[in-house]
Amino acid sequence: MAMMNGCKGDPRLPVGIIDSCTLPAVPSPALALEKLHSAIFGLKSNPPPFTSGIIRLQVPIEEQIQAIDWLHAQHQLLPRCFFSGRSRKKDSDISVVFPNGNGQSSVTHNLVSVAGVGSAVFFRNLHPFSYNDWRSIKRFISTECPMIRAYGAMRFDARANISSEWEDFGSFYFMIPQVEFDELERSSTLAVTLAWDDALSWTWAKAISTLESTMDKVSSKIVRLQKEVSRTFILSNHHSPSKMHWDLAVKKALEIINRSSTPLTKVVLARSSRVITATDIDPIAWLACLKQVEGENAYQFCLQPPDAPAFIGNTAVCNRVVIEPKKAIRKLPRVQHLYARLAGRLRSEDEEKYLTEECMLGQLAGLEEERVNLLLASGRHWWKRCALTCNDYFIFKGLCHYVVILLPNLNSDYFTTQGLGALIYAGTGIVEGSNPSLEWDELELKTSQFTKFLKLEVPLRSRFENIGTPN
């Protein structure tokens, strides 16, 4: 299905209208879907007098439904995205305000997770993320309509050659979903968004037509996902680098760390594991299971452009930051990390773009860009396969909400589904005194959150076929 790439427009020109409308609340997703169909029909017969714009319609649902269950019911409609923050039992930094219908007061519910399918507008390019790309995204968002948000990811080093599994993501990929399901505390929301720009040959009529096509495929029959993945067989498991090359890489990193002239005290190395399975892997079912097994103290995401593998992750990072002078230990079900908190106030909204770049260049870690890139270049034959960062990216009250999965800096674990199997990535920090074998064991522990759902043996039929005919 054709879609509009917002990066092709003039980033200097604002769109004609950015608006959102909340319809009366309903008790079920089916009624919400019906109400949105009616609202779209009304818009179709009364188009706005603008050559460009973006409009969101949302219907509150008087029931809390898990966004991941809704997404699983959509039968792999693409593109799709999912974001779930950590447990918000103690506090929340994202909330949604709905009018109660009489214009006198409002109800505020905290946002738990978000799922989206289809693309009202997407942003993708092969060149490195630029200031104009940032402005292209900001054309379609506004602090006046905080629930219109872009979700996406960008590469760690867009100058390096891109490996095949990431080609459809480009150097960056962000999307504003056509249909979005927001899971709130005690309620939910179903929303649609349509965007158009005549200058991009994406007219109001095209936007309406593609939205109707997506809506016709959206299901309101939502079944609670089982918190157990149907186990499949691992036919093969290939690591890059191998154990031998891993040991050499760790020793090389230790040599650099131990030099008196280097400012480095820690180097994070990574490994990718290509797992081939007997049957296909459902990434959404895996995410649901990971949330149940690995605990609530994790961010989860899924991003899948059209004709691309699903990029998912289950990581621990901070959702709000303050200054703390000492490092602390964050204990997770399988591993524990040293972490420190750091805070700052941006001078303007435009600084958000520069913050994104600084995160990826490693300068927040106190190292100059040249030194970081020189170190990464020494292992680029396999680093480049792990060099996608995910900024699950809320635009809310003028702020960006980042969940940065930056493998060289954060030891995060994620994977992409690729045919019958998956690519699983993990990293580990190398410091003075690190042991290569123990660091390898840590990688095994981190990737086991995914592989524990699989069986390390070939199917019974294959084993019989390999026995052959007895003499």
Side-chain angles (χ1 to χ4, degrees):
M1 181 184 296
M3 295 175 287
M4 177 171 66
N5 186 348
C7 289
K8 304 299 183 181
D10 189 340
R12 300 168 299 178
L13 299 179
V15 297
I17 182 175
I18 300 178
D19 198 12
S20 62
C21 177
T22 301
L23 305 176
V26 295
S28 69
L31 290 176
L33 193 64
E34 181 180 317
K35 190 170 288 289
L36 286 172
H37 272 294
S38 298
I40 293 170
F41 180 79
L43 283 177
K44 188 175 181 179
S45 58
N46 188 25
F50 301 100
T51 59
S52 63
I54 186 167
I55 295 176
R56 173 182 165 109
L57 305 174
Q58 58 189 22
V59 179
I61 301 171
E62 298 165 343
E63 178 185 2
Q64 182 176 0
I65 299 169
Q66 292 193 13
I68 199 166
D69 292 339
W70 178 87
L71 184 60
H72 192 259
Q74 303 318 314
H75 307 294
Q76 297 188 344
L77 273 173
L78 297 180
R80 62 181 174 179
C81 63
F82 174 77
F83 172 85
S84 175
R86 296 183 305 188
S87 172
R88 302 188 183 276
K89 295 178 181 178
K90 295 183 179 180
D91 61 339
S92 177
D93 60 348
I94 302 175
S95 58
V96 182
V97 179
F98 292 120
N100 67 358
N102 57 20
Q104 300 298 319
S105 61
S106 60
V107 178
T108 301
H109 290 168
N110 289 332
L111 185 61
V112 177
S113 60
V114 173
V117 296
S119 172
V121 55
F122 74 96
F123 308 90
R124 177 186 179 274
N125 229 321
L126 296 178
H127 64 63
F129 189 70
S130 68
Y131 180 62
N132 279 341
D133 296 320
W134 177 257
R135 293 177 67 186
S136 294
I137 296 176
K138 290 177 73 70
R139 283 186 74 210
F140 290 91
I141 58 179
S142 168
T143 56
E144 301 301 316
C145 300
M147 296 306 292
I148 299 178
R149 298 159 300 200
Y151 306 89
M154 61 182 68
R155 296 185 64 203
F156 171 72
D157 184 2
R159 295 166 295 185
N161 293 331
I162 188 170
S163 48
S164 59
E165 59 267 22
W166 300 115
E167 286 178 350
D168 291 310
F169 290 84
S171 290
F172 59 90
Y173 181 85
F174 288 88
M175 60 178 282
I176 298 178
Q178 278 183 315
V179 185
E180 181 176 308
F181 192 92
D182 299 334
E183 177 190 350
L184 312 173
E185 292 180 350
R186 304 186 302 278
S187 65
S188 309
T189 300
L190 184 65
V192 295
T193 302
L194 59 113
W196 71 101
D197 189 344
D198 289 358
L200 295 177
S201 300
W202 193 258
T203 62
W204 167 264
K206 282 186 178 180
I208 284 283
S209 176
T210 56
L211 176 58
E212 288 179 323
S213 177
T214 300
M215 288 287 285
D216 288 341
K217 300 180 181 71
V218 170
S219 173
S220 60
K221 297 179 180 179
I222 304 169
V223 178
R224 188 72 177 266
L225 269 171
Q226 297 295 321
K227 304 306 180 183
E228 182 176 341
V229 175
S230 299
R231 292 182 180 267
T232 185
F233 294 98
I234 295 180
L235 303 181
S236 66
N237 189 0
H238 174 73
H239 301 304
S240 178
S242 64
K243 178 62 165 62
M244 180 182 71
H245 287 96
W246 170 263
D247 290 348
L248 292 174
V250 173
K251 290 177 182 178
K252 183 175 182 179
L254 289 174
E255 289 176 2
I256 297 174
I257 291 172
N258 291 330
R259 291 174 186 167
S260 59
S261 60
T262 182
L264 292 175
T265 59
K266 181 179 181 179
V267 176
V268 179
L269 300 180
R271 182 189 77 183
S272 67
S273 301
R274 183 178 292 274
V275 178
I276 304 300
T277 55
T279 57
D280 204 358
I281 294 173
D282 184 342
I284 304 303
W286 271 36
L287 273 181
C289 194
L290 284 169
K291 193 74 168 182
Q292 179 76 10
V293 176
E294 296 295 332
E296 298 296 319
N297 194 29
Y299 282 97
Q300 291 192 314
F301 65 87
C302 173
L303 183 67
Q304 188 171 13
D307 302 318
F311 175 35
I312 78 168
N314 189 71
T315 186
V317 291
C318 300
N319 69 331
R320 60 175 64 187
V321 287
V322 295
I323 297 175
E324 291 184 0
K326 295 183 179 180
K327 291 184 178 179
I329 295 177
R330 167 154 291 175
K331 293 186 177 181
L332 301 173
R334 292 174 172 270
V335 294
Q336 59 186 17
H337 297 290
L338 280 176
Y339 80 101
R341 295 190 178 187
L342 154 78
R345 183 180 295 275
L346 297 179
R347 290 171 293 184
S348 70
E349 288 187 11
D350 288 339
E351 298 295 327
E352 296 162 351
K353 186 263 178 184
Y354 297 109
L355 176 62
T356 305
E357 290 181 332
E358 296 301 297
C359 284
M360 293 189 297
L361 292 177
Q363 293 181 353
L364 290 184
L367 298 176
E368 298 175 6
E369 174 184 352
E370 291 79 8
R371 290 173 180 166
V372 173
N373 287 340
L374 178 64
L375 179 64
L376 293 181
S378 66
R380 194 168 307 282
H381 65 286
W382 55 276
W383 268 108
K384 65 183 180 182
R385 303 183 65 186
C386 320
L388 192 70
T389 83
C390 182
N391 304 306
D392 276 284
Y393 173 94
F394 276 173
I395 299 298
F396 188 79
K397 294 182 179 177
L399 300 176
C400 293
H401 188 87
Y402 296 96
V403 181
V404 184
I405 314 301
L406 184 54
L407 206 63
N409 287 345
L410 294 182
N411 291 355
S412 303
D413 310 308
Y414 56 90
F415 83 94
T416 63
T417 59
Q418 183 86 359
L420 295 180
L423 277 167
I424 307 174
Y425 305 96
T428 180
I430 309 301
V431 296
E432 185 179 359
S434 290
N435 181 288
S437 294
L438 293 180
E439 300 298 335
W440 183 270
D441 291 341
E442 182 177 334
L443 295 177
E444 293 290 287
L445 182 64
K446 289 180 175 181
T447 58
S448 67
Q449 67 170 315
F450 298 113
T451 58
K452 68 183 178 181
F453 300 122
L454 308 174
K455 292 182 179 180
L456 279 170
E457 57 180 297
V458 297
L460 186 62
R461 179 180 175 183
S462 297
R463 281 187 280 160
F464 279 130
E465 290 174 351
N466 291 333
I467 291 175
T469 306
N471 294 327

